[in-house]
Amino acid sequence: MSQPQRVLQGHGCAVGQFEGEVVVSQQPFGFWQGLDPESGVVIDKRHDCCGATIKGKAFIFPYGRGSTGTPGIFLEAVRNGCAPAAIINVKSEPMIIMCAILAEAFFKVAIPIVDGLELATQEALRTGDRVRIDGATGRIEILARA
Amino acid sequence: MYLTDEEQRILDGKCGDPQRVALRVLVKLGEACGAERMVPIVSAHLVASSYQIAGEAGIEIYSQLVAQGARVAVQTTSDPGSIDFARWREFKTPADYAARQVKIAELLDRMGVIPTWTCTPYATFNLPRFGDHLGWSESSAVVFVNSVIGARTNRLAAYVDLCAALTGRVPYFGLHVTENRRGQVVFELTPDLTADFADHYFPALGYLVGQTVGDKVPVIVGLRQATFDQLKAFGAASAASGSVALYHMVGITPEARTLEEACGRQAPAERVVVGRREIGAVMEQMGGVVDGPVDVVGIGCPHASIDQMRRYASLLEGKRIHSGTELWVCTNVVVEEMARKMGYVGIIERAGAKLMVGTCHNDCPLGAWGFRRLMTDSGKFAYYTPTTVGTQCVFGSTEACIQAAIAGKVERS
């Protein structure tokens, strides 16, 4: 196992393990009308990650803009294999946590969520960095820089 | 989290798979949100009844639950679907899309959901009482029943609402708890604004409030009266532009007989003054009036009441909608039937307007229409239109909307 270059400690909100690339956004994100569940690409034209593929990646954004329809789009993406594989927030609202709980309950897919990471800490991560995330402990290991 | 013996039995699978899976979801949610126990609910309302929201994932989830014999445990109603079940061809909905919505309807029927297909279930078959605990989603309905009725529900997510319906429970946190219902931001309306508070200022004020407070609890001071429909319009706008789930209007809503009561006898953290200038600025932002043609006028968001249908009919009596403009009136089948009996539907349809029943502009696929500009009297539509309908939006009063539909264009007065 590769050794981490740096470790960030957050708060685990949903269990699961992840190792892979991150996509970092500085803006709040709403999955409803923000993500194309058929491709895993961000389609919200007002968003700083518009056009980015978050399928299979760890998606990092400050907090969710949560319509109650959020899990609709999120689970559609999970079903298509196009959902992000992990989420890191400054503050994870119940709507985002519910997405992970539902994905596990109905599609047996564990999507770790970690929050409690201030913007400054988020700025420690850049799109393309490789990380290892443990959703139970809230530990994030930075493995390689982009 | 503390669980009763019965809840433990459900989690152990003694009451079948649907209940076990549903309660597990609710327990995990409760743990994540700091709930110490569950609370029984009186009713549920489901937002993933629409194919646009539920998609194929929803059909898969519902099919699995139905196959396992799932039945709702409390009175449960459905939000609008993605088609008008009777008129989807008129609205150019693709047949394969309509078939998927019909499939969802069959699955919900088999679970015992009342097919209200409305965002105003509180005006049809699902009327909560003061203090009732509920498991509802649909942001505009949640904010209405919390604020205007004094029932208690969090903004549940799609499918979590179904978990609540199947088990008759929700985790006890957030707006179920009295302390969390205190007003946090006080909006003081200036006398120049309240002296002549127009009907369409309600959605505009809601839009402004939602933008300002996000998910905090706002308190409005200075209004002397508000109708059922005005409160509905205000709340829906605040829940769209922000995520307001509860507001207080001093002297109008039940938990706000006084400002002190609304704030739980604590000093509110913030105060905001709103006058004519602020309302004017927010209406400009919602979609200022620009001269030119309007392709579609959308009214009845949230779903029109019988009183609104009467008002639309009186404005349309003997008139004719412009040939290049659509006027769509969104409502539910209960109001439609009553409005038909009372002659309102006849007047509205003779004028060339269409009833859009059990759905709305936000929920339907409208790509085939190629609309460029929509006009609406709804703050919620105004918020979502640029993304859902993909058009430019104009916001105006109900009268201005109907006038624009007749003229085929909107003019700066």
Side-chain angles (χ1 to χ4, degrees):
Chain A
M1 236 158 84
S2 43
Q3 286 307 304
Q5 298 189 356
R6 188 175 163 194
V7 174
L8 307 173
Q9 187 60 52
H11 168 247
C13 297
V15 299
Q17 306 280 331
F18 171 83
E19 187 173 327
E21 267 182 41
V22 302
V23 174
V24 183
S25 162
Q26 303 301 327
Q27 288 178 1
F29 183 70
F31 283 92
W32 176 241
Q33 291 167 3
L35 176 69
D36 173 15
E38 313 266 308
S39 63
V41 172
V42 174
I43 50 168
D44 180 351
K45 293 196 180 70
R46 296 168 287 196
H47 199 261
D48 64 357
C49 281
C50 187
T53 298
I54 57 174
K55 167 185 174 175
K57 311 253 177 84
F59 189 33
I60 305 183
F61 53 98
Y63 56 91
R65 279 194 286 111
S67 147
T68 55
T70 302
I73 291 299
F74 195 89
L75 292 192
E76 190 74 354
V78 168
R79 178 182 172 273
N80 295 336
C82 291
I87 288 171
I88 302 174
N89 297 134
V90 173
K91 178 83 191 92
S92 297
E93 34 136 33
M95 208 61 74
I96 279 296
I97 298 171
M98 286 191 242
C99 286
I101 296 171
L102 291 162
E104 200 274 328
F106 292 111
F107 292 94
K108 310 278 177 268
V109 173
I111 296 169
I113 299 182
V114 175
D115 84 347
L117 292 169
E118 294 307 317
L119 266 178
T121 314
Q122 282 197 39
E123 281 159 11
L125 287 165
R126 295 272 177 275
T127 294
D129 288 351
R130 283 191 68 80
V131 300
R132 187 182 295 135
I133 299 171
D134 185 339
T137 61
R139 183 180 159 97
I140 299 164
E141 300 172 358
I142 303 174
L143 304 174
R145 294 296 187 174
Chain B
M1 199 164 161
Y2 167 80
L3 296 175
T4 63
D5 291 347
E6 196 195 344
E7 285 159 358
Q8 197 55 59
R9 273 171 43 80
I10 295 174
L11 275 189
D12 293 342
K14 304 257 166 53
C15 304
D17 266 345
Q19 288 218 29
R20 179 183 60 80
V21 171
L23 191 60
R24 232 179 114 231
V25 166
L26 297 170
V27 168
K28 282 193 175 178
L29 172 65
E31 284 169 354
C33 297
E36 289 171 3
R37 64 179 173 92
M38 307 296 286
V39 61
I41 56 170
V42 175
S43 70
H45 180 70
L46 309 183
V47 76
S49 49
S50 131
Y51 179 60
Q52 196 190 76
I53 292 177
E56 293 301 316
I59 292 177
E60 218 170 289
I61 292 170
Y62 296 151
S63 300
Q64 182 190 324
L65 289 168
V66 165
Q68 294 166 337
R71 292 287 297 179
V72 296
V74 292
Q75 168 163 284
T76 302
T77 43
S78 63
D79 219 37
S82 293
I83 62 170
D84 178 319
F85 285 91
R87 307 173 182 80
W88 55 267
R89 285 179 190 85
E90 258 182 73
F91 289 104
K92 304 185 184 177
T93 309
D96 52 345
Y97 189 98
R100 300 314 276 163
Q101 178 64 62
V102 169
K103 176 76 183 165
I104 291 180
E106 288 166 5
L107 291 165
L108 295 180
D109 274 349
R110 291 184 62 188
M111 288 190 274
V113 176
I114 306 171
T116 47
W117 306 113
T118 188
C119 49
T120 62
Y122 49 82
T124 50
F125 293 109
N126 202 346
L127 177 60
R129 294 193 299 178
F130 184 88
D132 278 353
H133 292 280
L134 315 172
W136 284 31
S137 48
E138 170 50 52
S139 63
S140 75
V142 164
V143 72
F144 189 94
V145 295
N146 270 321
S147 312
V148 181
I149 296 176
R152 299 183 172 208
T153 178
N154 287 317
R155 257 163 79 111
L156 292 186
Y159 308 118
V160 177
D161 48 16
L162 180 62
C163 294
L166 293 173
T167 59
R169 292 167 165 82
V170 291
Y172 185 74
F173 72 96
L175 294 178
H176 293 283
V177 184
T178 302
E179 295 81 74
N180 299 331
R181 299 178 66 86
R182 283 199 279 255
Q184 294 161 295
V185 184
V186 173
F187 290 81
E188 283 172 12
L189 309 191
T190 60
D192 76 312
L193 180 63
T194 55
D196 187 16
F197 201 84
D199 183 57
H200 65 293
Y201 289 180
F202 280 92
L205 180 63
Y207 198 100
L208 182 153
V209 165
Q211 267 186 339
T212 312
V213 304
D215 64 355
K216 292 193 189 131
V217 179
V219 183
I220 317 302
V221 183
L223 288 171
R224 279 178 296 275
Q225 55 189 8
T227 65
F228 178 96
D229 290 319
Q230 288 167 340
L231 294 169
K232 179 175 86 176
F234 170 89
S238 73
S241 71
S243 35
V244 174
L246 166 66
Y247 64 82
H248 300 298
M249 272 189 195
V250 174
I252 294 173
T253 58
E255 290 165 87
R257 284 168 295 187
T258 62
L259 177 60
E260 293 66 38
E261 183 183 52
C263 297
R265 300 182 205 294
Q266 293 193 1
E270 292 170 61
R271 276 172 189 275
V272 180
V273 175
V274 182
R276 264 184 186 279
R277 198 161 52 89
E278 287 75 19
I279 286 290
V282 78
M283 288 198 292
E284 201 60 37
Q285 192 192 343
M286 291 163 79
V289 176
V290 278
D291 290 323
V294 173
D295 305 312
V296 58
V297 175
I299 53 179
C301 166
H303 275 172
S305 66
I306 192 71
D307 195 46
Q308 286 172 306
M309 295 297 275
R310 181 191 52 73
R311 208 165 137 214
Y312 304 155
S314 75
L315 290 165
L316 284 166
E317 178 120 50
K319 302 282 185 5
R320 186 72 203 166
I321 300 305
H322 190 271
S323 60
T325 304
E326 295 284 326
L327 172 60
W328 293 354
V329 176
C330 306
T331 191
N332 57 58
V333 72
V334 176
V335 171
E336 180 202 4
E337 273 312 301
M338 211 49 69
R340 192 175 295 283
K341 283 197 170 69
M342 298 177 81
Y344 306 151
V345 170
I347 295 169
I348 291 168
E349 289 182 339
R350 272 195 300 280
K354 290 187 176 76
L355 254 63
M356 192 181 217
V357 176
T359 182
C360 77
H361 299 58
N362 280 344
D363 259 318
C364 274
L366 297 178
W369 289 88
F371 291 139
R372 286 152 303 169
R373 190 182 286 160
L374 172 139
M375 184 166 181
T376 184
D377 58 356
S378 158
K380 179 170 179 169
F381 262 0
Y383 182 80
Y384 283 114
T385 290
T387 42
T388 50
V389 190
T391 57
Q392 191 192 355
C393 183
V394 179
F395 172 78
S397 66
T398 306
E399 288 76 7
C401 281
I402 289 181
Q403 193 47 49
I406 293 167
K409 60 185 178 185
V410 57
E411 289 165 293
R412 202 179 270 278
S413 51

